[in-house]
Structures are given as C-alpha cells and as structure tokens.
Amino acid sequence: MSSTTNIEPLGAVRERVLATLRQEIIAGGLRPGDRLVERELAERFGVSRVPVREAIRALVAEGFVHFETPRRTVVRRLTPNDVKELFELREALEVYAAGLAAARATPEDLAEVERLLALAATATEAGDAETITDVNSRLHDSIVAMARNSLLVDALEPVAGRLRWMTRRNEEWPQLLVEHRDLYEAIASGDPDRARAHALAHVRTNYESTVRQLFGDTAEMI
C-alpha cells in the first residue's frame, strides 16, 4: 500500500509568500525601512530560499521594497513625489473610468456597489481598518470594472497594490465613506459629467489626506 504526499508547486509557494508579505506591508506589519532577509523568511514560511527570493523580486517590481545594497532589501520609504505620481495616475484613469461607469453601469453593478458601501459603513463604525481598506479597494475596482474597458483595468493593475498601501495610510474614514456615497450617487445618476466631477474631487481630497497622514500637516503639496 503506497501513499502520496501533496507537494505544493513552486509557483504556488511563491504566490503564497508574496501575498502574505504584500499584505503585511499594506497593513503596516512590515514598515518602511524594515529589512527582508531571505534566510529568516524561508524559515518563517517553512520553504526554501528560492520562492522567497522570487517573491522579494516581485515586491521590488511592484514598488513595495527596494535594494539598499546588493545584500540589503528593505521596505520602501514613501516620498511626497511617490504619492504625487500615483495620485496623478489615479486622477487620469479613475476619473475617466467614473464617467464611463455612469454611462455603462447595469442595475447589478450598482447593487454591488451599494452592498460594498453597506460593508464600508459597518467597518467604519467599528473602526476596522483592515476591512475598510479591503472594501474601499474593492469599491474602486468595481467602478473601474463598470467602465467596461479592459485596458483601463490593465493600466491600473501594476500599481493597484501601491495605491492600496498609500490609501491605507488615510484614516479619515467617515469622510471617505461620505465621498464614496456621493461618487456612487453620481454614477447611479447616469450623468458622466457629474460622475467625473465627483471622482476628481474624491481623488484630490484623498491625495491631500494621504499626504497629511504620511508627512504631516506641514507637508508641501508638490
């Protein structure tokens, strides 16, 4: 009688390690300047160094970590210019997506956003930062999906994690909820101009809030 052992494919191990480290950076468990050591991470995850090394390289490509020296990898310290560039991209793409969403959203699309808003309201009342971040990200993803433009989705995908990381720093949650409700109502109205105007105001307000949270009230809006 023989038995077989399920061996997790290398690619699956890499994705598991990558997803865990990415989420820890976004949530603040791994903070800017913290070092990622292959040996320690391999021991922690109970894997070889190969998938850990590949996961770290993916985090570098995604903009979460960087090599301070060839032998020292750390979580990136965000700069005001990092925030500025990413929010410029949001302004260009998400505002456009909101206008398309207003013209193309189905009743089912709008019902999904309503469901996410209800979840966001519950999480906001509870002060549940992790759930708020997750739901708000899903809400923005839903709006982009409503645009029915795959190229928009593809353009935002490479920076989605970094945007989530930055917006996680914004803890003005009640204000975010109000802005998201207003944006939903603008999209539901079917008026693309109204939707774009609300999306633009939301991105710019969120930019200012994120800069304050990261760099303080005296930070210059560059």
Side-chain angles (χ1 to χ4, degrees), residues 1-210:
M1 182 175 180
S2 63
S3 62
T4 59
T5 301
N6 291 326
I7 299 176
E8 190 176 13
L10 183 61
V13 176
R14 169 193 176 276
E15 289 303 312
R16 174 167 59 84
V17 173
L18 173 60
T20 300
L21 293 176
R22 183 194 294 120
Q23 182 55 35
E24 288 181 3
I25 293 171
I26 290 171
L30 285 169
R31 302 181 63 81
D34 284 354
R35 188 179 179 189
L36 276 64
V37 180
E38 280 186 17
R39 174 181 50 78
E40 294 175 357
L41 291 172
E43 291 176 358
R44 172 188 162 189
F45 287 103
V47 300
S48 72
R49 292 194 186 188
V50 173
V52 171
R53 186 176 304 123
E54 292 179 353
I56 289 174
R57 287 173 179 166
L59 290 171
V60 171
E62 292 178 10
F64 286 105
V65 305
H66 72 110
F67 297 113
E68 279 193 341
T69 70
R71 293 181 175 273
R72 183 178 177 85
T73 308
V74 300
V75 179
R76 282 187 61 185
R77 295 176 175 86
L78 295 170
T79 69
N81 195 58
D82 291 330
V83 180
K84 173 178 175 287
E85 289 183 345
L86 276 170
F87 273 85
E88 285 176 344
L89 183 65
R90 280 192 68 187
E91 186 173 310
L93 299 182
E94 291 190 11
V95 172
Y96 182 61
L100 293 179
R104 299 174 179 177
T106 66
E108 292 76 17
D109 291 331
L110 297 174
E112 172 62 12
V113 176
E114 287 180 339
R115 186 184 72 83
L116 292 172
L117 285 170
L119 291 175
T122 300
T124 298
E125 289 179 7
D128 183 347
E130 185 172 348
T131 299
I132 291 169
T133 302
D134 177 63
V135 172
N136 286 346
S137 295
R138 288 159 58 193
L139 187 148
H140 279 276
D141 290 345
S142 294
I143 292 172
V144 173
M146 279 191 277
R148 303 290 191 275
N149 186 313
S150 61
L151 292 179
L152 275 175
V153 176
D154 291 343
L156 281 165
E157 195 278 333
V159 297
R162 271 183 287 170
L163 284 171
R164 184 182 172 98
W165 184 25
M166 288 187 186
T167 55
R168 170 64 179 82
R169 310 276 78 76
N170 178 5
E171 297 184 354
E172 298 175 11
W173 300 323
Q175 177 62 28
L176 278 175
L177 182 59
V178 170
E179 292 174 19
H180 285 158
R181 283 172 170 160
D182 289 345
L183 178 56
Y184 161 75
E185 290 174 3
I187 291 171
S189 75
D191 183 342
D193 289 337
R194 180 183 171 190
R196 283 191 291 267
H198 277 276
L200 179 60
H202 171 55
V203 171
R204 290 183 175 177
T205 299
N206 193 223
Y207 168 59
E208 293 171 0
S209 299
T210 301

